[in-house]
Structures are given as structure tokens and as C-alpha cells.
Amino acid sequence: MDLAIRACCYPFRILSYTFTFCCKLFNRRPRIISAYTSVGLLSCFLLCLQPKKRGSSKRPKPTDDEPNPTLIPDRKTTEVKENPRSIPDREPTEDGENQESIPDRETTDKEENAGHNEPYRVERTDLLYCEYDTTWETAQDSQRDRRPRGSTQRAYDYDFSRFENAAKDMYNYRHDYPLPMGRRYQRRKQGTDMPNLTFYVGERASEPDGFTIGEFHKEWRGDYFRLEMVHSFIQWIFPLQEVGMNDQAYVLTKQEIKAFLKDKTAKLNLQQSYGLMLEFYGIELSNLETGAVRRASNWQDRFDNMNWHTHNNLRLTRVLKCLGTLGFRHYQAPLVRFFLEETLVQGNLPAVKESVLNYFLFAVLDREQRRELVRFAFWNYKPREKFIWCPKKIQEAFLLEARFQPCRQQEKNNDIIETEL
């Protein structure tokens, strides 16, 4: 009897879930709960049919200094409604105090001097637009608002939802953590004596393993079993302003970062730690100045280990973040390009592919390098129509550039011939 009653309830559950989805689709979130009642089913259906209420505030008129460039000729752009709620320059913290907005770390000097009529310009209404992906922002957008903006279009796709969740984490990292990181971050130890810096200059031992930085470089190098099985060392070797799995590690502070960037010994030890971990992953640091990497002699065995132990994807994300924070941001793009080559072109690391596209790629602080990496990923991803890591408008731009590339090359050849004559 009990089973029969449950079986009769399933159609009503499916119906209620369907109307709940409709409510979410039409942005009727405050009244979704009523969909679970018999009266609420009809009310939600009628609510979805009603036109949306428009805000009383008007959208500010664009000035003459703000052009409206389009990517494809004869393509109509959709007017976007801005959020009327203004965002203050200072945002309150959990303690009630006001915290000044932190400058953007991913804006380069080239972009600050560049105009805002750039070849790539996306809108919030574009397909596959992600509110936390600032790769295609213009210099004007970077100076105007550094907080995530609501998207008017949502893609109900599992892969795109995973990308959006990852993009929020990488957005927080690239912009020096303007978003709150929760109570767990507040409970984490923050040393006043710069514990991460003193560890890297050899004046402090790690916890709970008890090794110094010199002992780590000497005793742990080549010990792949210990590097794989011990999970409490990575927070000391590559410290971040985020919490990790080791409760006895310290969160990196702003004062430590400034002091670390001025300490040559600490930076040299971090460079050695990076080379040690690359060797563990079957990669060799071939150029200390540019950060170029290549396969090591034991790459096949180490690649098999990465495919089997996927927690190394989290470690590599931490490594990339630490490099960008502590003075080695020029090491980021070569490593990400290497993983894109191995995953998309060679197909050697299928278990790392998703992390490369969702996390590694968007850990690169230099925006121009990140754009080139996205372009490389787009041309080598298969099937290309399922590429979701940049808006469709940008993908159309890549295809348009490829069509006119032979013509541009022919023009360059003609110029060279005329110069020689």
C-alpha cells in the first residue's frame, strides 16, 4: 500500500519540479516555493505568463565618448539593461567595517593606455557569456566596475555551470579576492611573524611534517611516493591567500607578499620548489628566465600518475596561483600552453583536460596571454561546436579572422615583393 501511494505521488512531483524550473527560467524566484502546493501550481503557471515588471530607474544615456563597436558587420546589438542599484567604492566586511576596493591585478600597462574600441567586445546578452570571465573586458570596463555583474542569459548546461563555478573562483584570485571567502577563512591561522616568508628563508619548519625548505629540496626530490601520498606539504611550498587542507598552515597575508617579492632568497627557493614539482609531474623547466617547459625523460610514467590521481589538478591550480602572486606570473602562460598541447592536441592527459580549461587557463593574470591561450584552445578543441570557454561572439571572431588570414598574408607578400623591386 505504501509503495502504491508513493507511485501515485511521482507524477505530481514531476509536475511540481517542471513548474519550479519554469519559475527559475522566468526569474520568479521569490514565489517558487508555492509551486509545491496544489494551489501554487496554477499560480506559478499564471505567473510565468505575466510580463516582467520593469524597474522605475532609467538606464543612463551613453555619452559621445563611449562608442558601441560591433564585431560582425550588419549585426544588431541588443540593448542591455543595467542594474539600477549602484555599487559603492567601499564594501562592508563581516565585521561591519568598510573595506576599500582592491585594484585589479590582471590589468596590464598596455591595457591602461589602450583605447576602448577593441576588436573583441562582448555583451551580457551574448550566448555563453559568463559574468565572472573578464578575459574579453575592455580597458574602460576594467576601470569602471571590478565586481561580477548579473547575466541576462543563463545556459542550463552542466558543463557551462561547472565552468561558471570555476570562473568565480578564478575571478576572485585574479582580482585579489574582492569576494568574501566564508567563515572557514576567518578561522584559519594568520601569523603575525610572517610564517610563510620565514619558512622560505629557512628560519622555520613546516607543520606538521617538520621539514625546512632546504630539507624539502634535498630529501623530497625524486621521492615520488611521498610527494603523492603526503597532502600537508603543498600549502607550505605554495602558499596562497586561500585556505587549504592543512589546518596547521598559514594563510598568505598582504604584508608577506610585499616582503616576499623583495627577498631574493625566498624567490630563489620558490623557483627551486617549482622545478621540483614539475619533475614530479614529468615536466622540465627548460628556461629559467622565460619559464618555458617541456617533457622530461620520465614523462610517460608521470603522466599516467596524473591521470590516475586527479587531486594533482588541485595542486597544479595552487601552483599557478602562487606563481602569479609571488613574482613569477611570466611562468604561468608557458605551463598552461604546455598542458593545452598535451590535453587537446596530443591527448595524453584526459583526466586533466577539464581542469586545464576551467582553472589553469583562467589563472593566467596577463589578459593578452590568456586571450591567446583561449584562441589556441578553441582551434584545437574537438568537437569545436561544444567549446564553451568564451562567448559565441568571440568564436565567430576567430572564424572570421581565419577566413581573412590568407588575404592578409598575400598582402604582406605583395608588399615584400614591391619593396625588393
Side-chain angles (χ1 to χ4, degrees):
M1 186 64 181
D2 188 22
L3 295 176
I5 296 176
R6 291 185 179 181
C8 295
C9 293
Y10 285 138
F12 295 98
R13 287 188 178 183
I14 295 175
L15 187 60
S16 63
Y17 292 156
T18 303
F19 280 104
T20 302
F21 174 78
C22 294
C23 292
K24 290 184 178 180
L25 183 63
F26 288 89
N27 295 330
R28 305 296 183 177
R29 298 178 182 176
R31 301 177 65 178
I32 288 176
I33 300 176
S34 62
Y36 292 97
T37 63
S38 58
V39 180
L41 293 176
L42 181 60
S43 62
C44 285
F45 178 74
L46 296 177
L47 185 62
C48 294
L49 297 178
Q50 293 177 1
K52 297 181 181 179
K53 296 181 180 180
R54 298 182 179 181
S56 58
S57 60
K58 297 182 179 180
R59 181 176 181 267
K61 297 182 179 180
T63 60
D64 297 335
D65 297 333
E66 296 182 3
N68 187 17
T70 57
L71 184 61
I72 308 298
D74 299 334
R75 178 169 181 173
K76 297 181 180 180
T77 56
T78 306
E79 183 180 358
V80 181
K81 297 180 181 180
E82 300 287 347
N83 187 0
R85 182 176 59 88
S86 60
I87 302 177
D89 295 334
R90 299 167 64 94
E91 55 181 346
T93 59
E94 294 183 358
D95 299 333
E97 301 176 356
N98 290 331
Q99 177 184 1
E100 295 189 5
S101 58
I102 302 174
D104 182 11
R105 293 192 296 174
E106 72 170 353
T107 303
T108 59
D109 296 336
K110 181 188 296 185
E111 293 177 345
E112 290 177 355
N113 299 327
H116 42 264
N117 191 10
E118 297 187 1
Y120 305 117
R121 185 71 182 270
V122 296
E123 303 291 342
R124 298 170 187 166
T125 54
D126 293 337
L127 186 62
L128 296 180
Y129 166 80
C130 178
E131 58 184 333
Y132 294 104
D133 180 16
T134 57
T135 304
W136 312 103
E137 272 192 352
T138 62
Q140 184 183 14
D141 294 335
S142 301
Q143 298 175 1
R144 183 172 52 194
D145 185 8
R146 296 311 313 158
R147 293 172 177 81
R149 297 161 296 184
S151 172
T152 58
Q153 178 177 351
R154 292 290 185 181
Y156 291 95
D157 182 79
Y158 175 74
D159 294 333
F160 188 77
S161 299
R162 290 179 64 87
F163 165 57
E164 278 190 319
N165 294 331
K168 182 177 182 180
D169 174 52
M170 306 316 295
Y171 172 93
N172 209 25
Y173 157 72
R174 292 196 310 270
H175 298 84
D176 212 1
Y177 302 94
L179 304 178
M181 288 182 285
R183 297 180 180 179
R184 186 184 177 190
Y185 173 81
Q186 301 296 334
R187 295 197 301 264
R188 187 54 57 94
K189 297 190 298 183
Q190 298 183 13
T192 57
D193 57 342
M194 299 188 182
N196 295 290
L197 179 61
T198 55
F199 167 76
Y200 251 100
V201 297
E203 299 177 359
R204 184 190 185 99
S206 66
E207 300 175 15
D209 301 306
F211 60 81
T212 61
I213 189 64
E215 294 172 348
F216 176 77
H217 293 159
K218 183 178 180 180
E219 300 175 2
W220 289 58
R221 183 179 296 274
D223 193 350
Y224 298 152
F225 180 81
R226 179 156 57 167
L227 289 172
E228 183 63 53
M229 295 303 172
V230 179
H231 302 281
S232 56
F233 76 92
I234 196 72
Q235 293 80 14
W236 286 93
I237 301 303
F238 298 101
L240 293 178
Q241 301 177 75
E242 307 175 17
V243 298
M245 298 301 295
N246 185 1
D247 293 333
Q248 300 185 42
Y250 291 84
V251 175
L252 194 64
T253 61
K254 305 292 184 184
Q255 293 76 12
E256 280 185 303
I257 296 175
K258 294 180 181 179
F260 199 104
L261 295 176
K262 299 178 181 179
D263 197 298
K264 296 182 179 180
T265 302
K267 295 184 68 175
L268 180 61
N269 286 330
L270 177 59
Q271 194 178 51
Q272 295 182 18
S273 300
Y274 178 59
L276 187 150
M277 291 303 298
L278 287 182
E279 180 184 344
F280 170 68
Y281 294 124
I283 308 172
E284 179 183 352
L285 182 61
S286 58
N287 193 318
L288 295 176
E289 295 182 0
T290 62
V293 294
R294 61 189 179 190
R295 290 178 180 176
S297 58
N298 60 341
W299 67 273
Q300 291 182 334
D301 178 61
R302 304 317 306 160
F303 280 17
D304 291 339
N305 182 77
M306 276 196 289
N307 284 323
W308 186 257
H309 298 95
T310 56
H311 70 92
N312 286 293
N313 299 343
L314 300 175
R315 290 180 172 182
L316 285 167
T317 304
R318 170 177 280 269
V319 170
L320 287 168
K321 289 181 178 180
C322 182
L323 292 175
T325 303
L326 297 180
F328 291 93
R329 60 186 297 172
H330 58 288
Y331 278 14
Q332 293 180 313
L335 182 61
V336 175
R337 174 60 183 263
F338 174 83
F339 277 108
L340 287 173
E341 179 80 22
E342 293 296 335
T343 54
L344 301 181
V345 181
Q346 304 298 333
N348 293 322
L349 296 169
V352 190
K353 178 179 177 181
E354 184 177 354
S355 295
V356 173
L357 294 170
N358 285 339
Y359 290 93
F360 298 1
L361 181 59
F362 296 94
V364 178
L365 293 177
D366 190 284
R367 186 174 296 165
E368 292 300 324
Q369 292 180 344
R370 195 163 70 247
R371 289 180 177 182
E372 291 301 320
L373 292 171
V374 173
R375 184 198 305 269
F376 178 83
F378 170 74
W379 286 114
N380 292 277
Y381 186 85
K382 297 178 182 178
R384 190 174 298 162
E385 57 271 11
K386 292 187 177 180
F387 189 83
I388 60 172
W389 291 273
C390 70
K392 283 293 184 181
K393 190 174 184 179
I394 303 300
Q395 299 180 26
E396 294 173 1
F398 293 160
L399 296 173
L400 188 64
E401 290 175 358
R403 289 176 54 189
F404 291 99
Q405 192 67 27
C407 299
R408 295 175 182 175
Q409 187 64 33
Q410 185 65 30
E411 292 177 358
K412 291 181 181 179
N413 296 336
N414 295 338
D415 295 339
I416 294 174
I417 295 174
E418 293 178 359
T419 302
E420 293 178 351
L421 296 177

